[in-house]
Amino acid sequence: MQIRILGDIMAEEEIKKISLAVIRRLPKYHKCLGELLRNNVEKVSSQELGQMLGFTASQVRQDLNNFGEFGQQGYGYNVEQLYNEVAKILGLHTEHKMVIIGAGNLGQALANYKDFESHGFKIIAMFDINPRLTGLRIHGVPVYDLEELSYVINENNVDIAIIAVPKENAQQVADVLSGTIIKGIWNFAPIEIKVPPHIMVENVHLIDSLFTLSYKINENKLMERLIKQKSKRFEVKEKIIKKLP
Amino acid sequence: MQIRILGDIMAEEEIKKISLAVIRRLPKYHKCLGELLRNNVEKVSSQELGQMLGFTASQVRQDLNNFGEFGQQGYGYNVEQLYNEVAKILGLHTEHKMVIIGAGNLGQALANYKDFESHGFKIIAMFDINPRLTGLRIHGVPVYDLEELSYVINENNVDIAIIAVPKENAQQVADVLSGTIIKGIWNFAPIEIKVPPHIMVENVHLIDSLFTLSYKINENKLMERLIKQKSKRFEVKEKIIKKLP
DNA sequence: TAGATTGTTAATCGATTAACAATC
DNA sequence: TAGATTGTTAATCGATTAACAATC
């Protein structure tokens, strides 16, 4: 009986969701391990791996232990094994078929990105409403009319759709995608699209990223001004306090 | 004397750095306030603003109070005023001149992004080593030989450089940029570039983003497997425990 | 075996949320 | 004035770091 209860507790504990912070570090591990592997490095300690990535050894061990026990006391981690485990965690063990909606500059640029295919993400089609584009092949990828989106996705077991249309049309496209077998949307339109909960969304909001850079550039000046302002306010308060008793 | 000490303490407190989490929310506030402004909404409460963005009212107030006291008790925030304040915080009150290094598909796509210019980020030049591109104008932006990079930046008061070259050449470009008056680098190459500390860097690592999406798609299956694994391990431990006294 | 390094628990740190006095 | 909502302090929650027993 005691054991049943313990089991239930464990199951509950296990279901605790992995935090996005951890997830976003996984690609870094994957890349670093890939480089070590290519350099024929056989083993790596949490200490070393952390050093290369700017993480603490503790964090590396905590991160990895969310997914299993991949290391060996007194030895460290086998690079090849860990690389494969991380790849599996990231879902890179299966091929992914992708389509791009929007064959404009961004869509074309993405269609030409060699890195995707080399990691098992294959772009099989693009879609556009512009009749001057449909029928063409861009970087080897056929461009279809948007009308055919659902059909092509469902026929070809496409699991990822890339939204590269203007923000005005993004939700419309998302709605069509919601009726297909798609599992994830990589959204480059600067809006928050609404989709059913079984479809995962990852946003690339470039303008947000640029604004963040702008903030960083501006930060020093901003803080100087802020301190001046606050100390002025502080002086005023001082005066008020002095006038009391 | 008492007051001097208090002042010092305050100054110290103020210098505490704003966390990246806060900074990355600022563009969201900016966008939302911009929409409200366009809809002629005059005032907004932290409650309402939070609701629209999926933040708590508390978080909205905490975030904004990092930078000043923009609201009014019993009223809320004036939309126009707050919009302008957030814009100032993000450094959008001054024009930014940008150059793109790498006139390939990505560089061209970025050169054609209307959103940048409409927010005060003006792309004045592109650079490439390909002699078939240099001398051309792409989406109205002149393409120069990479040799001229430093000169053009320094002559035109360019403050942001966009790296859109293959990863093999990214550090080289970053090194050249480090010798110019540039203040920030928006890096699209999938490596961590090294630059002097006065130059701010914002990375857009697309492959990391795609891998994160892949993880999300894969997560459910992954967790199921994980729970099975762990409960199996747990059963083994149970047996061992049972064998003891 | 001794040394190394893991997996994991405990302590610390930081960010988010709640509460409430101040005040418009 | 009464009601509303801020700015800010305190409580909570979650993520990171430290510590250490387990074990290769």
Side-chain angles (χ1 to χ4, degrees):
Chain A
M1 194 56 196
Q2 173 69 6
I3 282 150
R4 266 284 245 111
I5 292 164
L6 264 172
D8 288 351
I9 291 166
M10 291 223 34
E12 247 177 64
E13 240 179 68
E14 258 124 41
I15 290 167
K16 74 162 181 248
K17 246 204 149 203
I18 310 292
S19 84
L20 195 61
V22 174
I23 298 165
R24 293 210 182 278
R25 280 193 293 272
L26 291 174
K28 316 280 183 198
Y29 291 120
H30 181 263
K31 194 179 157 226
C32 187
L33 289 163
E35 278 162 21
L36 289 174
L37 192 59
R38 252 175 286 121
N39 292 327
N40 298 309
V41 179
E42 216 172 64
K43 75 184 183 85
V44 69
S45 68
S46 57
Q47 179 67 240
E48 293 164 333
L49 195 51
Q51 196 132 53
M52 285 182 279
L53 289 162
F55 308 155
T56 62
S58 214
Q59 181 158 63
V60 171
R61 294 202 298 279
Q62 290 278 30
D63 283 350
L64 297 176
N65 274 98
N66 280 306
F67 303 100
E69 296 171 336
F70 305 129
Q72 202 159 83
Q73 281 98 331
Y75 173 82
Y77 300 87
N78 176 279
V79 170
E80 188 173 0
Q81 191 210 324
L82 188 58
Y83 176 78
N84 287 325
E85 290 289 353
V86 173
K88 252 191 269 174
I89 293 164
L90 284 169
L92 308 180
H93 52 307
T94 45
E95 279 245 326
H96 294 273
K97 284 190 188 163
M98 307 202 290
V99 296
I100 301 174
I101 302 107
N105 279 97
L106 180 62
Q108 294 187 21
L110 292 171
N112 196 37
Y113 231 75
K114 308 298 176 204
D115 258 17
F116 302 156
E117 184 138 11
S118 73
H119 286 100
F121 294 84
K122 194 165 196 304
I123 297 163
I124 66 147
M126 298 174 83
F127 297 87
D128 209 291
I129 42 164
N130 186 344
R132 293 172 60 183
L133 290 171
T134 57
L136 295 180
R137 277 181 169 265
I138 297 176
H139 305 302
V141 179
V143 184
Y144 300 105
D145 188 278
L146 199 58
E147 288 291 317
E148 306 189 59
L149 181 57
S150 288
Y151 178 80
V152 172
I153 286 175
N154 290 332
E155 282 300 299
N156 293 280
N157 278 305
V158 173
D159 57 351
I160 294 175
I162 304 175
I163 296 187
V165 299
K167 62 171 171 296
E168 291 73 24
N169 311 317
Q171 183 58 54
Q172 230 174 303
V173 170
D175 290 341
V176 175
L177 291 172
S178 298
T180 69
I181 59 162
I182 220 82
K183 289 180 190 154
I185 295 178
W186 203 18
N187 175 40
F188 284 77
I191 65 156
E192 292 292 326
I193 54 169
K194 288 186 200 81
V195 291
H198 70 275
I199 297 181
M200 303 292 117
V201 177
E202 168 78 8
N203 291 307
V204 179
H205 288 345
L206 289 183
I207 201 80
D208 288 13
S209 175
L210 180 58
F211 281 10
T212 303
L213 177 60
S214 176
Y215 173 89
K216 289 177 188 170
I217 291 172
N218 190 43
E219 189 172 37
N220 284 339
K221 267 187 277 177
L222 184 74
M223 288 300 134
E224 272 170 42
R225 237 181 307 149
L226 236 154
I227 289 167
K228 256 186 234 166
Q229 257 177 47
K230 279 218 183 175
S231 58
K232 204 176 281 178
R233 245 201 332 261
F234 181 69
E235 276 163 33
V236 173
K237 277 187 189 170
E238 248 173 55
K239 278 181 198 161
I240 292 165
I241 291 164
K242 275 187 187 166
K243 277 175 188 169
L244 293 177
Chain B
M1 194 54 197
Q2 173 70 5
I3 282 149
R4 266 284 246 112
I5 291 164
L6 265 171
D8 287 351
I9 290 166
M10 292 224 33
E12 248 177 63
E13 240 180 69
E14 259 123 40
I15 290 167
K16 76 164 179 247
K17 245 204 151 201
I18 310 292
S19 83
L20 195 62
V22 174
I23 298 166
R24 294 211 182 277
R25 279 193 293 271
L26 292 174
K28 316 281 184 198
Y29 290 119
H30 181 263
K31 194 179 158 225
C32 187
L33 289 163
E35 279 162 20
L36 289 173
L37 191 60
R38 253 176 285 121
N39 292 327
N40 298 308
V41 179
E42 216 172 66
K43 75 183 182 85
V44 70
S45 69
S46 56
Q47 179 67 239
E48 294 164 333
L49 196 52
Q51 196 132 54
M52 285 182 279
L53 290 162
F55 307 156
T56 63
S58 213
Q59 181 159 63
V60 171
R61 294 203 298 278
Q62 289 278 30
D63 282 351
L64 298 175
N65 273 98
N66 279 307
F67 303 101
E69 296 171 336
F70 305 130
Q72 202 157 84
Q73 281 98 331
Y75 172 84
Y77 300 87
N78 175 279
V79 171
E80 187 172 1
Q81 191 210 325
L82 188 57
Y83 176 78
N84 287 325
E85 291 288 354
V86 174
K88 252 190 269 174
I89 293 164
L90 285 169
L92 308 180
H93 52 306
T94 44
E95 279 246 324
H96 294 273
K97 285 190 187 162
M98 308 202 290
V99 295
I100 300 174
I101 302 107
N105 279 97
L106 180 61
Q108 293 187 21
L110 292 171
N112 196 38
Y113 230 75
K114 309 297 177 204
D115 259 17
F116 301 156
E117 184 138 10
S118 73
H119 286 100
F121 295 83
K122 195 164 195 305
I123 295 163
I124 66 146
M126 297 174 82
F127 296 87
D128 209 291
I129 42 164
N130 185 345
R132 293 172 60 184
L133 290 170
T134 56
L136 295 180
R137 276 180 169 266
I138 297 176
H139 305 302
V141 179
V143 184
Y144 300 106
D145 189 279
L146 199 58
E147 288 291 318
E148 306 188 59
L149 181 58
S150 288
Y151 178 81
V152 172
I153 286 175
N154 290 333
E155 282 300 300
N156 294 280
N157 278 306
V158 173
D159 56 351
I160 295 175
I162 304 175
I163 297 186
V165 298
K167 63 171 171 296
E168 290 73 25
N169 312 318
Q171 183 57 54
Q172 230 174 304
V173 169
D175 290 341
V176 175
L177 290 172
S178 298
T180 70
I181 59 162
I182 221 82
K183 290 179 190 155
I185 295 178
W186 203 17
N187 176 39
F188 284 77
I191 65 155
E192 293 291 326
I193 54 169
K194 288 186 201 82
V195 292
H198 70 273
I199 297 181
M200 303 292 117
V201 176
E202 169 79 7
N203 291 305
V204 179
H205 287 344
L206 290 183
I207 200 79
D208 288 13
S209 175
L210 180 58
F211 282 10
T212 302
L213 177 60
S214 175
Y215 172 89
K216 289 177 186 168
I217 291 172
N218 190 43
E219 188 172 37
N220 284 339
K221 268 187 276 177
L222 184 73
M223 287 299 133
E224 273 171 40
R225 236 181 307 148
L226 236 154
I227 289 167
K228 258 187 234 165
Q229 257 176 48
K230 279 217 181 174
S231 58
K232 205 176 281 177
R233 245 201 331 260
F234 180 69
E235 275 163 32
V236 173
K237 276 188 189 169
E238 248 173 54
K239 279 183 196 160
I240 293 165
I241 291 164
K242 274 187 188 164
K243 279 178 187 166
L244 294 178

